[in-house]
């Protein structure tokens, strides 16, 4: 796991966008894994700017990490809509190649199996963006999620519903159920970039980066990922024991290594 501590979310957005730009230039039909929440927004802003300057996404495809269950199609806070509004509508990805789990499906297990199949059919995810919940979740894999899990329905912990209530008119409107790529699904992405900013993430960051690998902290599974990059601001990095070592390592990294 590579930990990079940066000055703020603008720098984080630029560095993650660099990795995505490199990928899309190297592999124009790249498969991107997209996250919602506030953390990836600077990346999407940066990619929209770069698209304006000529970066081409016409052959790329994208898969959302997760989705609420039970929101009506087109609900502005459904993750399909958020991804469309914040990113894919701002670049030239073919809308037909932007996928999200179907939270309105009558047959949820079939929809989840179809999502896994679609990811496989696209050749797997090349680069997965992730945020992290204050309880250590990635996607919507709450504490206790199996490390082998695939896309499935999950119940949200109250803390996550409260954290996400800011996007809805009231806490009561936040769904209790969600669909999410499993930890096993996320672990198959070829490169994972997790972004975290702000002091409210410091504890979760410390636990998943430096704590034991344990289901109580789902993001800790990334310690087993062969290519995981963690981009943090100073506040999110403030509880790390080895922060100085991560800074030193990044500052002296050979340029050819990239992210
Ligand atoms: C939600 C999403 C996660 C996201 C997390 C953190 O629960 N399902 O994918 O990582 O929120 O969000 P934020 O980046 O807004 O802190």
């Amino acid at each position: 796991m590579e930990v990079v501590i940066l000055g703020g979310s603008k720098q984080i957005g630029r560095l993650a966008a660099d990795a995505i730009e490199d990928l899309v230039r190297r592999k124009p039909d790249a498969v991107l894994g997209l996250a919602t929440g506030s953390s990836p927004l600077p990346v999407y802003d940066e990619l929209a700017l770069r698209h304006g300057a000529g970066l081409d996404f016409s052959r790329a495809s994208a898969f959302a990490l997760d989705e609420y269950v039970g929101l009506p199609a087109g609900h502005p806070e459904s993750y399909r809509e958020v991804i469309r509004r914040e990113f894919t509508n701002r670049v030239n990805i073919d809308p037909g190649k932007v996928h999200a789990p179907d939270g309105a499906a009558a047959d949820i297990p079939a929809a989840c199996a179809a999502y896994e199949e679609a990811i496989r059919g696209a050749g797997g995810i090349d680069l997965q963006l992730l945020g992290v919940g204050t309880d250590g979740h990635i996607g919507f894999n709450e504490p206790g999620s199996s490390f082998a899990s695939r896309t499935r329905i999950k119940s949200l912990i109250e803390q996550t519903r409260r954290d996400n209530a800011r996007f809805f008119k009231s806490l009561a409107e936040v769904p209790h159920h969600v669909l999410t790529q499993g930890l096993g699904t996320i672990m198959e992405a070829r490169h994972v970039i997790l972004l975290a900013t702000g002091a409210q993430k410091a504890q979760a960051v410390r636990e998943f980066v430096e704590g034991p690998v344990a289901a109580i902290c789902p993001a800790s599974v990334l310690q087993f990922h062969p290519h995981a990059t963690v981009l943090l601001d100073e506040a999110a990095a403030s509880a790390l024991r080895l922060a100085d070592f991560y800074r030193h390592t990044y500052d002296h990294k050979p340029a050819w290594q990239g992210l």
Side-chain angles (χ1 to χ4, degrees), residues 17 43 73 75-76 83 101 106 108 113 137 140 144 158 187 213 224 232 251:
V43 187
H75 188 289
I83 290 285
I108 292 279
H137 73 239
F140 268 135
E158 257 331 272
M187 288 294 282
V213 175
F224 283 125
L232 305 172
D251 288 347

Side-chain angles (χ1 to χ4, degrees), residues 155-175:
S155 292
L156 292 183
I157 283 182
E158 257 331 272
Q159 184 179 327
T160 301
R161 292 188 63 248
R162 278 198 305 273
D163 286 348
N164 288 358
R166 67 187 192 280
F167 296 113
F168 292 84
K169 286 200 196 83
S170 68
L171 178 60
E173 280 188 22
V174 184

